[in-house]
mmCIF file of all heavy atoms in Angstrom:
data_model
loop_
_atom_site.group_PDB
_atom_site.id
_atom_site.type_symbol
_atom_site.label_atom_id
_atom_site.label_comp_id
_atom_site.label_asym_id
_atom_site.label_seq_id
_atom_site.Cartn_x
_atom_site.Cartn_y
_atom_site.Cartn_z
ATOM 1 N N GLY A 184 82.991 73.592 108.671
ATOM 2 C CA GLY A 184 82.593 72.592 107.679
ATOM 3 C C GLY A 184 83.724 71.670 107.291
ATOM 4 O O GLY A 184 83.724 71.084 106.211
ATOM 5 N N ASP A 185 84.710 71.514 108.172
ATOM 6 C CA ASP A 185 85.877 70.677 107.867
ATOM 7 C C ASP A 185 85.742 69.229 108.343
ATOM 8 O O ASP A 185 86.497 68.365 107.905
ATOM 9 C CB ASP A 185 87.134 71.286 108.500
ATOM 10 C CG ASP A 185 87.529 72.596 107.856
ATOM 11 O OD1 ASP A 185 87.201 72.800 106.667
ATOM 12 O OD2 ASP A 185 88.157 73.423 108.540
ATOM 13 N N ILE A 186 84.818 68.960 109.255
ATOM 14 C CA ILE A 186 84.620 67.603 109.786
ATOM 15 C C ILE A 186 83.215 67.141 109.411
ATOM 16 O O ILE A 186 82.247 67.364 110.139
ATOM 17 C CB ILE A 186 84.797 67.572 111.330
ATOM 18 C CG1 ILE A 186 86.068 68.261 111.767
ATOM 19 C CG2 ILE A 186 84.723 66.132 111.832
ATOM 20 C CD1 ILE A 186 87.347 67.597 111.311
ATOM 21 N N PRO A 187 83.049 66.520 108.220
ATOM 22 C CA PRO A 187 81.703 66.136 107.772
ATOM 23 C C PRO A 187 81.129 64.976 108.583
ATOM 24 O O PRO A 187 81.845 64.099 109.027
ATOM 25 C CB PRO A 187 81.913 65.739 106.317
ATOM 26 C CG PRO A 187 83.349 65.368 106.216
ATOM 27 C CD PRO A 187 84.080 66.172 107.244
ATOM 28 N N ILE A 188 79.801 65.025 108.735
ATOM 29 C CA ILE A 188 79.048 63.931 109.346
ATOM 30 C C ILE A 188 78.462 63.052 108.249
ATOM 31 O O ILE A 188 78.296 61.852 108.415
ATOM 32 C CB ILE A 188 77.913 64.474 110.234
ATOM 33 C CG1 ILE A 188 78.468 65.317 111.364
ATOM 34 C CG2 ILE A 188 77.055 63.348 110.787
ATOM 35 C CD1 ILE A 188 77.408 66.104 112.110
ATOM 36 N N THR A 189 78.103 63.682 107.123
ATOM 37 C CA THR A 189 77.528 62.956 105.990
ATOM 38 C C THR A 189 78.379 63.203 104.749
ATOM 39 O O THR A 189 79.193 64.119 104.718
ATOM 40 C CB THR A 189 76.090 63.426 105.674
ATOM 41 O OG1 THR A 189 76.130 64.787 105.255
ATOM 42 C CG2 THR A 189 75.176 63.264 106.860
ATOM 43 N N ASN A 190 78.134 62.408 103.737
ATOM 44 C CA ASN A 190 78.718 62.687 102.429
ATOM 45 C C ASN A 190 78.026 63.902 101.837
ATOM 46 O O ASN A 190 76.958 64.308 102.281
ATOM 47 C CB ASN A 190 78.526 61.494 101.487
ATOM 48 C CG ASN A 190 79.372 60.312 101.905
ATOM 49 O OD1 ASN A 190 80.517 60.463 102.311
ATOM 50 N ND2 ASN A 190 78.799 59.124 101.809
ATOM 51 N N GLU A 191 78.620 64.458 100.798
ATOM 52 C CA GLU A 191 77.999 65.553 100.073
ATOM 53 C C GLU A 191 76.936 64.974 99.142
ATOM 54 O O GLU A 191 77.180 64.001 98.448
ATOM 55 C CB GLU A 191 79.070 66.290 99.271
ATOM 56 C CG GLU A 191 78.589 67.538 98.597
ATOM 57 C CD GLU A 191 79.722 68.276 97.931
ATOM 58 O OE1 GLU A 191 80.068 67.911 96.788
ATOM 59 O OE2 GLU A 191 80.264 69.198 98.549
ATOM 60 N N TYR A 192 75.734 65.565 99.168
ATOM 61 C CA TYR A 192 74.627 65.112 98.341
ATOM 62 C C TYR A 192 74.079 66.277 97.526
ATOM 63 O O TYR A 192 74.083 67.420 97.991
ATOM 64 C CB TYR A 192 73.471 64.572 99.199
ATOM 65 C CG TYR A 192 73.832 63.390 100.041
ATOM 66 C CD1 TYR A 192 74.022 63.528 101.406
ATOM 67 C CD2 TYR A 192 73.979 62.132 99.480
ATOM 68 C CE1 TYR A 192 74.349 62.436 102.191
ATOM 69 C CE2 TYR A 192 74.310 61.034 100.256
ATOM 70 C CZ TYR A 192 74.498 61.197 101.608
ATOM 71 O OH TYR A 192 74.815 60.117 102.389
ATOM 72 N N THR A 193 73.578 65.987 96.333
ATOM 73 C CA THR A 193 72.928 66.993 95.495
ATOM 74 C C THR A 193 71.508 66.543 95.196
ATOM 75 O O THR A 193 71.278 65.382 94.849
ATOM 76 C CB THR A 193 73.701 67.200 94.171
ATOM 77 O OG1 THR A 193 75.030 67.631 94.480
ATOM 78 C CG2 THR A 193 73.026 68.232 93.286
ATOM 79 N N GLN A 194 70.562 67.468 95.351
ATOM 80 C CA GLN A 194 69.157 67.210 95.032
ATOM 81 C C GLN A 194 68.643 68.311 94.118
ATOM 82 O O GLN A 194 69.022 69.483 94.270
ATOM 83 C CB GLN A 194 68.290 67.191 96.293
ATOM 84 C CG GLN A 194 68.483 65.981 97.163
ATOM 85 C CD GLN A 194 67.950 64.713 96.518
ATOM 86 O OE1 GLN A 194 67.115 64.739 95.630
ATOM 87 N NE2 GLN A 194 68.435 63.590 96.982
ATOM 88 N N ASN A 195 67.772 67.943 93.183
ATOM 89 C CA ASN A 195 67.115 68.937 92.355
ATOM 90 C C ASN A 195 66.164 69.765 93.206
ATOM 91 O O ASN A 195 65.576 69.259 94.163
ATOM 92 C CB ASN A 195 66.342 68.283 91.217
ATOM 93 C CG ASN A 195 67.254 67.679 90.185
ATOM 94 O OD1 ASN A 195 68.377 68.144 89.987
ATOM 95 N ND2 ASN A 195 66.789 66.646 89.523
ATOM 96 N N ILE A 196 66.013 71.029 92.847
ATOM 97 C CA ILE A 196 65.067 71.913 93.520
ATOM 98 C C ILE A 196 63.666 71.582 93.007
ATOM 99 O O ILE A 196 63.450 71.427 91.814
ATOM 100 C CB ILE A 196 65.428 73.386 93.241
ATOM 101 C CG1 ILE A 196 66.756 73.723 93.940
ATOM 102 C CG2 ILE A 196 64.315 74.316 93.684
ATOM 103 C CD1 ILE A 196 67.318 75.077 93.573
ATOM 104 N N THR A 197 62.710 71.462 93.931
ATOM 105 C CA THR A 197 61.323 71.203 93.588
ATOM 106 C C THR A 197 60.547 72.512 93.661
ATOM 107 O O THR A 197 60.621 73.225 94.665
ATOM 108 C CB THR A 197 60.701 70.180 94.562
ATOM 109 O OG1 THR A 197 61.458 68.973 94.491
ATOM 110 C CG2 THR A 197 59.249 69.901 94.224
ATOM 111 N N VAL A 198 59.809 72.815 92.602
ATOM 112 C CA VAL A 198 59.022 74.044 92.529
ATOM 113 C C VAL A 198 57.667 73.814 93.185
ATOM 114 O O VAL A 198 57.056 72.755 93.004
ATOM 115 C CB VAL A 198 58.849 74.481 91.061
ATOM 116 C CG1 VAL A 198 57.971 75.717 90.956
ATOM 117 C CG2 VAL A 198 60.200 74.730 90.427
ATOM 118 N N GLY A 199 57.194 74.802 93.933
ATOM 119 C CA GLY A 199 55.906 74.701 94.606
ATOM 120 C C GLY A 199 54.762 74.417 93.636
ATOM 121 O O GLY A 199 54.748 74.918 92.514
ATOM 122 N N ALA A 200 53.788 73.637 94.065
ATOM 123 C CA ALA A 200 52.662 73.240 93.204
ATOM 124 C C ALA A 200 51.738 74.417 92.898
ATOM 125 O O ALA A 200 51.201 74.510 91.798
ATOM 126 C CB ALA A 200 51.867 72.119 93.862
ATOM 127 N N THR A 201 51.537 75.328 93.861
ATOM 128 C CA THR A 201 50.625 76.447 93.633
ATOM 129 C C THR A 201 51.344 77.793 93.569
ATOM 130 O O THR A 201 50.786 78.754 93.054
ATOM 131 C CB THR A 201 49.552 76.527 94.733
ATOM 132 O OG1 THR A 201 50.199 76.721 95.993
ATOM 133 C CG2 THR A 201 48.708 75.269 94.754
ATOM 134 N N THR A 202 52.565 77.872 94.099
ATOM 135 C CA THR A 202 53.330 79.114 94.073
ATOM 136 C C THR A 202 54.701 78.809 93.489
ATOM 137 O O THR A 202 55.599 78.351 94.198
ATOM 138 C CB THR A 202 53.468 79.704 95.498
ATOM 139 O OG1 THR A 202 52.178 79.790 96.084
ATOM 140 C CG2 THR A 202 54.103 81.073 95.466
ATOM 141 N N PRO A 203 54.900 79.043 92.191
ATOM 142 C CA PRO A 203 56.140 78.641 91.536
ATOM 143 C C PRO A 203 57.393 79.371 92.023
ATOM 144 O O PRO A 203 58.502 78.935 91.753
ATOM 145 C CB PRO A 203 55.880 78.919 90.054
ATOM 146 C CG PRO A 203 54.727 79.840 90.014
ATOM 147 C CD PRO A 203 53.945 79.635 91.265
ATOM 148 N N THR A 204 57.224 80.471 92.770
ATOM 149 C CA THR A 204 58.406 81.153 93.301
ATOM 150 C C THR A 204 58.880 80.525 94.606
ATOM 151 O O THR A 204 59.976 80.814 95.065
ATOM 152 C CB THR A 204 58.125 82.647 93.534
ATOM 153 O OG1 THR A 204 56.999 82.771 94.414
ATOM 154 C CG2 THR A 204 57.856 83.360 92.225
ATOM 155 N N LYS A 205 58.049 79.688 95.217
ATOM 156 C CA LYS A 205 58.460 78.977 96.435
ATOM 157 C C LYS A 205 59.002 77.622 96.028
ATOM 158 O O LYS A 205 58.337 76.865 95.323
ATOM 159 C CB LYS A 205 57.291 78.832 97.403
ATOM 160 C CG LYS A 205 56.860 80.131 98.007
ATOM 161 C CD LYS A 205 55.785 79.922 99.043
ATOM 162 C CE LYS A 205 55.385 81.244 99.663
ATOM 163 N NZ LYS A 205 54.352 81.072 100.671
ATOM 164 N N VAL A 206 60.205 77.335 96.466
ATOM 165 C CA VAL A 206 60.855 76.094 96.067
ATOM 166 C C VAL A 206 61.489 75.429 97.287
ATOM 167 O O VAL A 206 61.576 76.023 98.358
ATOM 168 C CB VAL A 206 61.929 76.355 94.977
ATOM 169 C CG1 VAL A 206 61.298 76.951 93.733
ATOM 170 C CG2 VAL A 206 63.019 77.268 95.484
ATOM 171 N N GLY A 207 61.966 74.221 97.107
ATOM 172 C CA GLY A 207 62.610 73.528 98.200
ATOM 173 C C GLY A 207 63.303 72.273 97.731
ATOM 174 O O GLY A 207 63.290 71.925 96.548
ATOM 175 N N ALA A 208 63.919 71.600 98.678
ATOM 176 C CA ALA A 208 64.588 70.329 98.410
ATOM 177 C C ALA A 208 64.597 69.538 99.707
ATOM 178 O O ALA A 208 64.566 70.113 100.800
ATOM 179 C CB ALA A 208 66.012 70.549 97.911
ATOM 180 N N ILE A 209 64.615 68.218 99.586
ATOM 181 C CA ILE A 209 64.708 67.370 100.770
ATOM 182 C C ILE A 209 65.768 66.314 100.545
ATOM 183 O O ILE A 209 65.907 65.767 99.453
ATOM 184 C CB ILE A 209 63.355 66.729 101.150
ATOM 185 C CG1 ILE A 209 63.489 65.999 102.479
ATOM 186 C CG2 ILE A 209 62.853 65.822 100.042
ATOM 187 C CD1 ILE A 209 62.180 65.702 103.156
ATOM 188 N N PHE A 210 66.530 66.083 101.581
ATOM 189 C CA PHE A 210 67.582 65.078 101.568
ATOM 190 C C PHE A 210 67.224 64.030 102.610
ATOM 191 O O PHE A 210 67.003 64.361 103.769
ATOM 192 C CB PHE A 210 68.932 65.710 101.927
ATOM 193 C CG PHE A 210 69.393 66.753 100.944
ATOM 194 C CD1 PHE A 210 68.907 68.048 100.993
ATOM 195 C CD2 PHE A 210 70.322 66.426 99.979
ATOM 196 C CE1 PHE A 210 69.324 69.011 100.090
ATOM 197 C CE2 PHE A 210 70.756 67.377 99.063
ATOM 198 C CZ PHE A 210 70.254 68.674 99.120
ATOM 199 N N SER A 211 67.115 62.789 102.194
ATOM 200 C CA SER A 211 66.855 61.690 103.130
ATOM 201 C C SER A 211 68.172 61.001 103.417
ATOM 202 O O SER A 211 68.893 60.621 102.492
ATOM 203 C CB SER A 211 65.869 60.689 102.535
ATOM 204 O OG SER A 211 64.636 61.302 102.326
ATOM 205 N N ASP A 212 68.478 60.848 104.684
ATOM 206 C CA ASP A 212 69.769 60.268 105.054
ATOM 207 C C ASP A 212 69.675 59.703 106.462
ATOM 208 O O ASP A 212 69.717 60.451 107.420
ATOM 209 C CB ASP A 212 70.856 61.337 104.992
ATOM 210 C CG ASP A 212 72.244 60.752 105.083
ATOM 211 O OD1 ASP A 212 72.379 59.523 105.039
ATOM 212 O OD2 ASP A 212 73.200 61.525 105.197
ATOM 213 N N GLU A 213 69.481 58.432 106.570
ATOM 214 C CA GLU A 213 69.410 57.837 107.902
ATOM 215 C C GLU A 213 70.808 57.453 108.354
ATOM 216 O O GLU A 213 71.384 56.479 107.874
ATOM 217 C CB GLU A 213 68.480 56.632 107.888
ATOM 218 C CG GLU A 213 67.039 57.038 107.698
ATOM 219 C CD GLU A 213 66.084 55.950 108.122
ATOM 220 O OE1 GLU A 213 66.429 55.144 108.997
ATOM 221 O OE2 GLU A 213 64.993 55.918 107.552
ATOM 222 N N ILE A 214 71.361 58.270 109.257
ATOM 223 C CA ILE A 214 72.685 57.977 109.810
ATOM 224 C C ILE A 214 72.630 58.142 111.320
ATOM 225 O O ILE A 214 71.861 58.939 111.843
ATOM 226 C CB ILE A 214 73.785 58.898 109.235
ATOM 227 C CG1 ILE A 214 73.526 60.353 109.605
ATOM 228 C CG2 ILE A 214 73.913 58.742 107.748
ATOM 229 C CD1 ILE A 214 74.775 61.183 109.620
ATOM 230 N N ASP A 215 73.442 57.369 111.999
ATOM 231 C CA ASP A 215 73.580 57.528 113.440
ATOM 232 C C ASP A 215 74.570 58.649 113.710
ATOM 233 O O ASP A 215 75.640 58.708 113.103
ATOM 234 C CB ASP A 215 74.066 56.233 114.089
ATOM 235 C CG ASP A 215 72.992 55.176 114.106
ATOM 236 O OD1 ASP A 215 71.803 55.536 114.202
ATOM 237 O OD2 ASP A 215 73.336 53.985 114.017
ATOM 238 N N TYR A 216 74.194 59.559 114.596
ATOM 239 C CA TYR A 216 75.035 60.690 114.959
ATOM 240 C C TYR A 216 75.363 60.592 116.443
ATOM 241 O O TYR A 216 74.487 60.292 117.258
ATOM 242 C CB TYR A 216 74.306 62.012 114.680
ATOM 243 C CG TYR A 216 74.981 63.193 115.328
ATOM 244 C CD1 TYR A 216 76.130 63.744 114.777
ATOM 245 C CD2 TYR A 216 74.487 63.747 116.504
ATOM 246 C CE1 TYR A 216 76.766 64.819 115.377
ATOM 247 C CE2 TYR A 216 75.110 64.822 117.104
ATOM 248 C CZ TYR A 216 76.246 65.351 116.539
ATOM 249 O OH TYR A 216 76.883 66.404 117.141
ATOM 250 N N HIS A 217 76.627 60.843 116.789
ATOM 251 C CA HIS A 217 77.076 60.857 118.179
ATOM 252 C C HIS A 217 77.958 62.077 118.377
ATOM 253 O O HIS A 217 78.925 62.281 117.628
ATOM 254 C CB HIS A 217 77.856 59.581 118.518
ATOM 255 C CG HIS A 217 77.091 58.331 118.211
ATOM 256 N ND1 HIS A 217 76.051 57.888 118.997
ATOM 257 C CD2 HIS A 217 77.187 57.461 117.183
ATOM 258 C CE1 HIS A 217 75.556 56.779 118.465
ATOM 259 N NE2 HIS A 217 76.226 56.512 117.365
ATOM 260 N N PHE A 218 77.632 62.906 119.368
ATOM 261 C CA PHE A 218 78.409 64.103 119.657
ATOM 262 C C PHE A 218 79.840 63.724 120.035
ATOM 263 O O PHE A 218 80.072 62.745 120.744
ATOM 264 C CB PHE A 218 77.765 64.899 120.800
ATOM 265 C CG PHE A 218 78.593 66.069 121.242
ATOM 266 C CD1 PHE A 218 78.679 67.202 120.440
ATOM 267 C CD2 PHE A 218 79.275 66.038 122.437
ATOM 268 C CE1 PHE A 218 79.444 68.289 120.830
ATOM 269 C CE2 PHE A 218 80.043 67.118 122.840
ATOM 270 C CZ PHE A 218 80.124 68.247 122.036
ATOM 271 N N ASP A 219 80.818 64.491 119.551
ATOM 272 C CA ASP A 219 82.230 64.272 119.862
ATOM 273 C C ASP A 219 82.835 65.594 120.315
ATOM 274 O O ASP A 219 83.176 66.453 119.504
ATOM 275 C CB ASP A 219 82.969 63.740 118.629
ATOM 276 C CG ASP A 219 84.417 63.411 118.896
ATOM 277 O OD1 ASP A 219 84.917 63.714 120.004
ATOM 278 O OD2 ASP A 219 85.068 62.855 118.002
ATOM 279 N N GLY A 220 82.940 65.786 121.609
ATOM 280 C CA GLY A 220 83.444 67.023 122.184
ATOM 281 C C GLY A 220 84.915 67.287 121.935
ATOM 282 O O GLY A 220 85.393 68.391 122.195
ATOM 283 N N SER A 221 85.644 66.309 121.390
ATOM 284 C CA SER A 221 87.068 66.521 121.142
ATOM 285 C C SER A 221 87.322 67.263 119.829
ATOM 286 O O SER A 221 88.443 67.671 119.556
ATOM 287 C CB SER A 221 87.806 65.181 121.113
ATOM 288 O OG SER A 221 87.408 64.410 120.004
ATOM 289 N N VAL A 222 86.293 67.477 119.010
ATOM 290 C CA VAL A 222 86.440 68.188 117.737
ATOM 291 C C VAL A 222 86.396 69.689 118.007
ATOM 292 O O VAL A 222 85.478 70.185 118.668
ATOM 293 C CB VAL A 222 85.326 67.782 116.747
ATOM 294 C CG1 VAL A 222 85.426 68.582 115.463
ATOM 295 C CG2 VAL A 222 85.398 66.296 116.456
ATOM 296 N N ALA A 223 87.379 70.438 117.485
ATOM 297 C CA ALA A 223 87.436 71.886 117.673
ATOM 298 C C ALA A 223 86.251 72.567 116.986
ATOM 299 O O ALA A 223 85.723 72.079 115.989
ATOM 300 C CB ALA A 223 88.743 72.432 117.107
ATOM 301 N N ASN A 224 85.848 73.724 117.513
ATOM 302 C CA ASN A 224 84.760 74.552 116.959
ATOM 303 C C ASN A 224 83.418 73.836 116.941
ATOM 304 O O ASN A 224 82.620 74.016 116.024
ATOM 305 C CB ASN A 224 85.117 75.050 115.560
ATOM 306 C CG ASN A 224 86.350 75.910 115.563
ATOM 307 O OD1 ASN A 224 86.503 76.776 116.419
ATOM 308 N ND2 ASN A 224 87.247 75.665 114.633
ATOM 309 N N THR A 225 83.179 72.977 117.927
ATOM 310 C CA THR A 225 81.882 72.325 118.070
ATOM 311 C C THR A 225 81.262 72.753 119.387
ATOM 312 O O THR A 225 81.950 73.250 120.279
ATOM 313 C CB THR A 225 82.005 70.788 118.081
ATOM 314 O OG1 THR A 225 82.789 70.389 119.203
ATOM 315 C CG2 THR A 225 82.633 70.262 116.825
#
Side-chain angles (χ1 to χ4, degrees):
D185 292 333
I186 311 295
I188 299 169
T189 65
N190 290 320
E191 187 175 84
Y192 299 105
T193 300
Q194 288 291 339
N195 290 331
I196 292 171
T197 301
V198 177
T201 61
T202 308
T204 57
K205 291 185 179 180
V206 299
I209 187 162
F210 297 81
S211 296
D212 192 8
E213 291 198 28
I214 63 155
D215 288 328
Y216 167 77
H217 306 285
F218 174 73
D219 183 353
S221 67
V222 176
N224 299 316
T225 62

